[in-house]
Amino acid sequence: MNKKKIVYVPLAVDILHKGHINIIKIAKNYGRVIVGLLTDKAIVKYKELTILNFEERKNLVKNLKYIDQVVAQDNYDYEEILNRIKPNYFVHGDDWKFDNRKIVRKKVIKILKKWNGRLIEPKYTKDVSSSIIKNKILELSSTSNRVSRLKRLMDSKDITRILESHNSLTGLIIENIKINNNKKNLEFDGMWSSSLTDSATKGLPDNSSLSFSARISSLNDMMDVTTKPIVFDADNGGQIEHLPFLIRSLERSGASAIIMEDKVGLKKNSLFKNQAGTKQDKPHLFAKKIKKICDTRQSQDFMVIARIESFIVGKGLKDALHRAEIYSKAGADAILIHSKEKTPAEIFSFAKEFKKSKNFIPLVSVPSTYSKVYEKDLIKNGFKLVIYANQLLRSAYPAMLNTARTILKNGRAFEADKKIIPIKEIINLIKND
Ligand code: SPV
Ligand code: MG
């Protein structure tokens, strides 16, 4: 080993395993080992968030005897860190030759050339990776880090994306669906427990007819079979005196956040055209509710998101901004600025102004009526969480209606078969091992 040579090893190390030790041992043969430990922000660019946070991972790595130094790598692109450290050797498992990291690899080779640096690629240790181990653990039990995960995702991702779930099956869809689009792995980060779709599924209007205990029972059903964060739609949270009990139930269930809207009186869904009779709460009274939650929650990771309904009731930008200041000062972790317009113009005008405030907190969007908006534009305007609030139920309902109609019309089920999944698939839909 040549002590003067610098060897750079980028690692994420969520769960330390023999694959890591193998790479680090090889690296040590070439000189002084500097581990570039990827931060959460760098990791979410190419895979899902780690279980352990950065400090916990750093603590693991810096105590390994083969490692001389640990630096934070804050970017998945290696340009900045390599130009700064100028390592003689760069060590990386050869698995990146074969997947969507190919381009990153090519760039690394080009950068290393500038000072005759060499790329060393030990054979990837098959059958063991943090992801494989992690999935096994998550399958067994997951609530321990589910709560804090939403906050970490919002701190590290450009935008966190959640989808409405109204039962365990839709929870499983959100949990498992992964696609590759333009060489990017895409998935949902969590679930939205919607008052609208939870009520509709049970044949009830979205006016708080469905009690919180029934809502929490639905929440628990989803919790039982999933591991991703769930955000709970609490309408206006109910009476301030009752809030501590609701929060206790939500935290015990493992919810990551409560979203509470600043309305009073009989609840009406915000997307109704006619909002006559809908009343907004007085800002200072709603602020008291936010504060109550902040004072009673057990974990600071459980987020309180204040939902402003000024645009819904036709009050406009000034009122919305005034409320945002008050809610932020009361302790809200984020603001959902709601709108039922066809374009995101009004929520973007809100974001532009609120960004100037010293009380600015992350923004949340629910693009139900302005569904043409792309996530990239929400990101540009300062939004950190996007909630697709009702699309799964809206797609399931017409499909079921159509099947029922087809059976009636034909006097048999055969014609419906073409558009529905085979019995074999429905039997195997839920694993039973
Ligand atoms: C819900 O999904 O229940 C919501 C969003 O609260 S909205 O329907 O737009 O009010
Ligand atoms: Mg709702």
Side-chain angles (χ1 to χ4, degrees):
M1 191 224 347
N2 184 338
K3 278 194 180 156
K4 286 199 188 113
K5 301 282 185 196
I6 296 175
V7 191
Y8 189 77
V9 190
L11 292 176
V13 194
D14 197 6
I15 296 162
L16 188 64
H17 56 71
K18 65 179 181 188
H20 295 122
I21 304 294
N22 183 33
I23 293 244
I24 298 161
K25 265 185 171 170
I26 293 172
K28 191 71 188 164
N29 292 330
Y30 291 89
R32 202 172 163 271
V33 176
I34 301 182
V35 163
L37 192 66
L38 286 109
T39 60
D40 286 354
K41 203 171 131 209
I43 284 172
V44 293
K45 290 274 185 250
Y46 77 104
K47 65 174 184 180
E48 60 191 45
L49 197 60
T50 51
I51 297 177
L52 300 181
N53 67 31
F54 180 78
E55 286 308 321
E56 290 165 329
R57 292 184 286 116
K58 187 174 171 192
N59 194 27
L60 260 186
V61 175
K62 78 172 187 213
N63 286 301
L64 295 176
K65 69 176 180 184
Y66 304 106
I67 291 167
D68 298 288
Q69 193 184 343
V70 181
V71 295
Q73 184 177 322
D74 205 26
N75 217 316
Y76 186 55
D77 185 282
Y78 290 90
E79 191 161 4
E80 187 272 327
I81 193 105
L82 288 185
N83 281 323
R84 182 147 52 90
I85 293 179
K86 295 198 173 49
N88 306 91
Y89 298 97
F90 181 101
V91 182
H92 195 295
D94 69 350
D95 53 320
W96 71 339
K97 283 183 186 169
F98 313 108
D99 56 29
N100 55 4
R101 292 170 295 173
K102 262 188 246 168
I103 313 155
V104 182
R105 176 178 178 268
K106 261 195 185 159
K107 196 168 168 192
V108 166
I109 296 173
K110 207 168 144 198
I111 299 168
L112 289 171
K113 257 196 189 147
K114 290 200 267 182
W115 53 87
N116 281 329
R118 256 184 72 196
L119 173 64
I120 311 285
E121 292 174 305
K123 211 168 163 34
Y124 185 68
T125 317
K126 276 208 181 117
D127 305 328
V128 58
S129 75
S130 297
S131 306
I132 294 173
I133 301 171
K134 193 161 80 180
N135 285 340
K136 279 189 189 153
I137 297 171
L138 287 178
E139 263 172 33
L140 291 174
S141 155
S142 60
T143 42
S144 60
N145 90 349
R146 156 147 46 188
V147 177
S148 60
R149 216 167 170 77
L150 182 72
K151 200 170 218 170
R152 284 179 62 208
L153 283 162
M154 286 175 67
D155 284 345
S156 45
K157 284 190 79 165
D158 289 337
I159 197 153
T160 299
R161 175 193 298 126
I162 67 175
L163 177 61
E164 167 262 325
S165 174
H166 51 271
N167 60 24
S168 305
L169 191 58
T170 49
L172 279 173
I173 292 175
I174 299 165
E175 178 82 8
N176 295 319
I177 188 140
K178 289 185 173 65
I179 65 155
N180 190 283
N181 194 24
N182 291 330
K183 303 205 170 107
K184 262 190 168 171
N185 293 324
L186 298 170
E187 61 181 288
F188 288 97
D189 298 302
M191 286 149 260
W192 166 240
S193 167
S194 150
S195 67
L196 171 64
T197 67
D198 195 5
S199 305
T201 309
K202 293 173 173 78
L204 292 172
D206 184 19
N207 65 359
S208 300
S209 295
L210 192 61
S211 67
F212 276 139
S213 60
R215 296 281 323 282
I216 286 165
S217 165
S218 308
L219 180 72
N220 284 332
D221 287 346
M222 296 188 271
M223 289 285 177
D224 280 348
V225 296
T226 60
T227 65
K228 290 184 175 177
I230 308 186
V231 175
F232 187 80
D233 170 7
D235 294 338
N236 69 6
Q239 302 269 72
I240 188 165
E241 292 82 358
H242 301 163
L243 264 176
F245 308 111
L246 174 64
I247 299 307
R248 192 195 292 172
S249 299
L250 289 177
E251 286 200 87
R252 194 177 51 218
S253 299
S256 299
I258 179 174
I259 297 194
M260 192 170 67
E261 60 200 55
D262 58 359
K263 286 197 299 213
V264 279
L266 180 65
K267 195 222 145 148
K268 201 184 234 183
N269 181 277
S270 302
L271 302 179
F272 268 126
K273 246 204 172 86
N274 178 5
Q275 290 291 328
T278 303
K279 271 205 209 112
Q280 230 177 341
D281 205 352
K282 292 202 171 69
H284 73 279
L285 292 181
F286 190 69
K288 276 193 182 162
K289 283 183 163 182
I290 297 171
K291 199 159 176 314
K292 183 67 137 189
I293 300 177
C294 292
D295 291 345
T296 51
R297 66 181 162 191
Q298 303 231 309
S299 161
Q300 296 299 313
D301 291 330
F302 176 82
M303 297 173 75
V304 186
I305 302 178
R307 165 168 158 180
I308 296 177
E309 296 277 298
S310 304
F311 289 138
I312 300 291
V313 299
K315 278 204 193 144
L317 181 60
K318 215 171 138 209
D319 183 76
L321 287 167
H322 174 63
R323 287 169 179 274
E325 291 291 328
I326 294 174
Y327 301 165
S328 169
K329 279 193 225 158
D333 296 293
I335 295 282
L336 189 169
I337 179 71
H338 205 16
S339 165
K340 55 180 170 49
E341 290 298 304
K342 290 222 160 62
T343 77
E346 67 182 9
I347 64 153
F348 285 176
S349 67
F350 170 87
K352 197 170 154 215
E353 289 306 313
F354 188 42
K355 251 192 250 169
K356 297 177 194 159
S357 165
K358 64 175 192 310
N359 297 313
F360 178 78
I361 44 177
L363 296 177
V364 182
S365 155
V366 181
S368 298
T369 52
Y370 54 96
S371 59
K372 277 191 184 158
V373 73
Y374 283 107
E375 289 170 4
K376 63 177 182 342
D377 294 316
L378 290 172
I379 295 168
K380 261 193 229 151
N381 283 277
F383 286 81
K384 275 287 187 185
L385 179 67
V386 56
I387 302 176
Y388 297 101
N390 46 43
Q391 287 77 5
L392 286 188
L393 185 59
R394 282 166 62 200
S395 56
Y397 181 70
M400 292 192 280
L401 210 55
N402 196 31
T403 301
R405 236 189 232 129
T406 305
I407 295 173
L408 274 184
K409 196 170 132 198
N410 292 285
R412 62 176 187 174
F414 176 74
E415 285 73 15
D417 280 349
K418 282 176 249 162
K419 290 202 171 153
I420 58 183
I421 57 171
I423 292 169
K424 197 174 118 210
E425 252 180 71
I426 195 91
I427 291 171
N428 293 324
L429 194 62
I430 310 295
K431 285 193 208 97
N432 181 19
D433 53 12

